[in-house]
Amino acid sequence: MALRHDCTVPVPVDDAWRALLDIERVAPCLQGATVEEYDDKTVTGSVRVKVGPVTITYKGTAVFEERDEEARGAGRGRPGRAGTARATVTGTLSERDGVTAVTVHTGLTVTGRPAQFGRGVLSEVG
């Protein structure tokens, strides 16, 4: 499944870039996300999501594959017997009139029970 999210951050692009790469600072903004360890390239942690009537905690790692004006990260999580999730995320930041436009493209693959809820429910969670 392909997802796209757009937002603006009310600061110049250099400030937004530094803030968005501050994993310990950003993680609390993502509902259900917990960072256990971060070594400037690899993040180990979990994310708890509700898909339909099921709440699942995915534990795993995310790795920054590239950092420049396009940040890429790939993550893999496995919630025990409920299924798996794998995502490749590409974020692009561009400055527009003193604010930063952020575009995030996510390629998401979900298997197991959560996949049975269909694209509509999964895209809302994404």
Side-chain angles (χ1 to χ4, degrees):
M1 169 182 338
L3 303 171
R4 178 183 167 145
H5 296 91
D6 296 293
C7 67
T8 57
V9 181
V11 297
V13 71
D14 290 339
D15 295 343
W17 179 249
R18 281 191 303 276
L20 292 171
L21 289 179
D22 185 345
I23 299 302
E24 286 89 0
R25 185 176 173 191
V26 170
C29 299
L30 304 172
Q31 185 176 359
T34 302
V35 173
E36 295 170 8
E37 189 176 338
Y38 176 56
D39 67 6
D40 199 43
K41 180 175 178 166
T42 303
V43 181
T44 302
S46 62
V47 63
R48 184 177 172 99
V49 295
K50 184 170 173 69
V51 182
V54 178
T55 300
I56 300 167
T57 300
Y58 289 98
K59 295 182 179 185
T61 59
V63 177
F64 283 95
E65 295 175 344
E66 181 181 336
R67 287 189 204 181
D68 56 21
E69 290 193 89
E70 292 187 348
R72 294 178 180 251
R76 179 181 297 174
R78 180 180 299 276
R81 296 174 48 164
T84 62
R86 180 178 176 90
T88 300
V89 180
T90 303
T92 305
L93 282 62
S94 58
E95 191 155 348
R96 294 187 189 149
D97 299 322
V99 300
T100 302
V102 180
T103 301
V104 179
H105 293 275
T106 304
L108 176 65
T109 303
V110 178
T111 64
R113 276 190 316 190
Q116 296 172 3
F117 291 103
R119 181 179 171 87
V121 173
L122 289 176
S123 65
E124 285 181 30
V125 172

